[in-house]
Amino acid sequence: MAHLFNRNVLLGVSGGIAAYKSAELVRELQELGANVCVVMTRGAQEFITPLTLQALSGNPVHTELLDENAEMGMGHIELARWADLLLIAPATADLIARLSAGRADDLLSTVALATAAPLMLAPAMNQQMWKDPATTANIDTLSLRGARMVGPAAGPQACGDIGLGRMEEPSIIAGAAASVFQSSQLAGKRVMITAGPTREALDPVRYISNNSSGKMGYALAAAAVDAGAITTLVSGPVTLTPPDHVQFLSVQSAQQMLEQCIELLPECDIFIGCAAVADYRPTEVANQKIKKAHDEMTLQLVRNPDIVLAVASSQYPTYTVGFAAETNNVVAHAKEKMQRKGLDMMVANDVANEAIGFNSDNNAVTVLYRDEENTLELASKASIAQQIIHLIGHQTRKND
Ligand code: C5P
C-alpha cells in the first residue's frame, strides 16, 4: 500500500476556489503518514486562511519570500531542502505559467526552483483556461522537466461551466503523492539491512555502545519496502518505530547481529550494512554488577566480528553494501574499506560535519561502486535512502 511515512510533503496552495479543498488534502496526506508544511500564495489567502491550514498541518504556514522572521526560521532554502515532495494543489493557470517560465517572484515559485524534490501539480481552473494553448504549452514544458500531474477532473465548475478543470479529489491527490515514492525497482528482491548501534555488555547493567540513531538504516528499510523488496531489518537498540511491512529483528550485541544475518543470508539478495557495529567488546562479561572497589580499572577488549565482511566473503552471491563513517579523506578511506572488505558498493559519510552527523535528520553522501562515484547532495535521510536504493536497483539489474 502506498504511504507517506517519514515523508516531508511541502504543500503549495495557489489562488483558486479549489483552495478550500486543500484543507482536506492536508488531512489525507497526514492519514497516509506525511509530515505536511504549507506554503500559500497571496491569492490562496483570499480563499482560505493560513490559520486553517496551520491548525490542520500543525506547522506554521509560510506566505512571504522577503520576511525577516521566516528567513531566521524556515526560509525558502530550508523549505526547499526540507521537502521530499513539493505538491501544489490547486495549481492555477497563472502559477503553472510562472513555474514554466522559471519565475521566482513569490515564495512558492522560488521554493519550486530551489528544491531538488519531485514536483507534483494538481491543476485547477476554468475549463476554457485549461484548454487554452498557452496552458497546454506550459503543462507540456513542466511535464518534460519531470513534473507530475494529477488531474484535472471533469465535471461542473464553480463558475457554472462544465468540463475539464476541476481539481482532482484530495484522496486521489494524496494517493498520487504517495505513489511518487513507490517503484518496482527491487520487486521481489530480498533485502537485509543492519541498523543502529550495538551494545556490548560489561556486566548485567552496563555496556559499551555508540551514538548511532538508526535513522539512516530505518530510512533505507522504508525505501526498500517502497521499491517492492521483501525487507528484513536487523536492528540494534534504538528508539525508532520500524517501518511498516518489514520483518523486524531486534538484537543487542555485534555477535547477535552477526548470527541473525548469517542465519538469514541464504535468503538474501542484497545486504546493506548500515549499523554502527562496535569494533570491540569486553573480553569478559561479569555475571554480577561490577563494584567500584579500586580507583582505577582496566577494561580488556577483544575485536568483534566484521559483519559486512563476513557477508561479502560468504559462499552466497549477495550484493553487499557498506557504510563508511569518516572524518577525513572520506572518499579515499571509504574506497580502501570497500576493497579490503570485498564490497560491491560503499556509501561514504562525512561524520565530521554536524549537519549530517549521527543524529541528524539529513545526510549527504558519496556512493562508490565499481569505478564510479556518485555524490548525493544534502537532503533528508528518507530522500538519500531512496536515492541509494535506486542506485542499488540499477546496479543489481546490471548484474542479473
Ligand atoms: O570498518 P568500518 O567500521 O568503518 O566499516 C563500516 C562498515 O562496516 C559499515 O557498513 C558497518 O556496518 C560494517 N561493519 C560491520 N561489522 C563491524 C564493523 C563494521 O558490519 N564489526
Side-chain angles (χ1 to χ4, degrees), residues 194 273-275 277-279 304-308 322-324 326 337 341:
T194 66
C274 190
V277 184
D279 290 322
N304 260 333
D306 191 312
I307 300 167
V308 87
F323 271 69
E326 306 290 343
K337 272 184 194 166
K341 299 192 186 203

Side-chain angles (χ1 to χ4, degrees), residues 16-83:
I17 181 60
Y20 81 93
K21 287 194 191 169
S22 306
E24 199 186 328
L25 179 56
V26 171
R27 272 281 153 79
E28 296 277 356
L29 293 166
Q30 286 173 327
E31 267 169 32
L32 291 180
N35 307 314
V36 183
C37 195
V38 179
V39 172
M40 297 178 81
T41 64
R42 292 240 165 99
Q45 295 167 65
E46 302 290 333
F47 291 94
I48 181 170
T49 69
L51 196 61
T52 307
L53 296 180
Q54 177 166 316
L56 288 171
S57 68
N59 285 313
V61 169
H62 301 264
T63 55
E64 297 303 322
L65 178 58
L66 303 173
D67 175 346
E68 263 176 46
N69 292 331
E71 288 298 315
M72 280 181 340
M74 274 261 242
H76 62 285
I77 298 298
E78 281 79 12
L79 283 169
R81 283 189 184 141
W82 179 85

Side-chain angles (χ1 to χ4, degrees), residues 90-360:
T92 59
D94 175 62
L95 184 83
I96 288 168
R98 287 192 288 126
L99 294 180
S100 140
R103 298 290 296 265
D105 49 6
D106 67 358
L107 180 60
L108 183 52
S109 54
T110 306
V111 170
L113 268 190
T115 191
L119 171 66
M120 177 173 273
L121 302 174
M125 65 199 72
N126 163 269
Q127 50 88 25
Q128 195 58 49
M129 291 169 79
W130 175 251
K131 271 198 267 183
D132 191 280
T135 305
T136 306
N138 291 333
I139 291 283
D140 288 348
T141 304
L142 290 168
S143 299
L144 274 174
R145 283 188 211 139
R148 295 151 216 245
M149 304 293 158
V150 49
Q157 302 204 288
C159 52
D161 282 4
I162 296 179
L164 262 183
R166 286 163 57 92
M167 187 170 93
E168 192 48 280
E169 289 308 315
S171 60
I172 292 177
I173 299 174
S179 72
V180 169
F181 299 101
Q182 285 215 312
S183 76
S184 53
Q185 238 192 340
L186 294 181
K189 294 272 184 201
R190 294 157 307 175
V191 176
M192 179 156 50
I193 299 168
T194 66
T198 63
R199 270 185 194 171
E200 310 300 332
L202 278 162
D203 69 17
V205 293
R206 303 188 182 92
Y207 54 80
I208 297 173
S209 190
N210 60 62
N211 277 334
S212 169
S213 65
K215 284 178 186 169
M216 195 63 230
Y218 278 54
L220 281 164
V225 169
D226 287 347
I230 301 155
T231 308
T232 303
L233 179 60
V234 183
S235 175
V238 296
T239 55
L240 304 172
T241 308
D244 285 343
H245 313 298
V246 301
Q247 181 192 6
F248 181 71
L249 298 166
S250 164
V251 295
Q252 298 280 318
S253 67
Q255 277 182 307
Q256 286 172 354
M257 190 174 267
L258 176 72
E259 279 160 27
Q260 278 290 5
C261 293
I262 295 298
E263 192 185 320
L264 297 173
L265 199 54
E267 277 135 44
C268 171
D269 302 306
I270 298 164
F271 179 87
I272 308 176
C274 190
V277 184
D279 290 322
Y280 293 88
R281 66 179 183 278
T283 309
E284 281 178 19
V285 184
N287 287 330
Q288 308 290 336
K289 189 177 168 200
I290 300 167
K291 298 288 173 213
K292 41 181 177 296
H294 308 287
D295 285 346
E296 287 184 3
M297 81 177 275
T298 305
L299 279 179
Q300 192 173 0
L301 304 175
V302 58
R303 270 295 276 275
N304 260 333
D306 191 312
I307 300 167
V308 87
L309 185 142
V311 169
S313 48
S314 79
Q315 57 173 305
Y316 300 104
T318 311
Y319 188 88
T320 311
V321 182
F323 271 69
E326 306 290 343
T327 52
N328 63 317
N329 288 340
V330 177
V331 169
H333 283 312
K335 244 182 211 160
E336 183 276 320
K337 272 184 194 166
M338 177 163 93
Q339 280 155 5
R340 178 162 45 83
K341 299 192 186 203
L343 308 183
D344 297 294
M345 181 181 280
M346 192 60 142
V347 182
N349 209 173
D350 182 354
V351 284
N353 180 346
E354 278 182 18
I356 55 175
F358 266 151
N359 236 315
S360 164

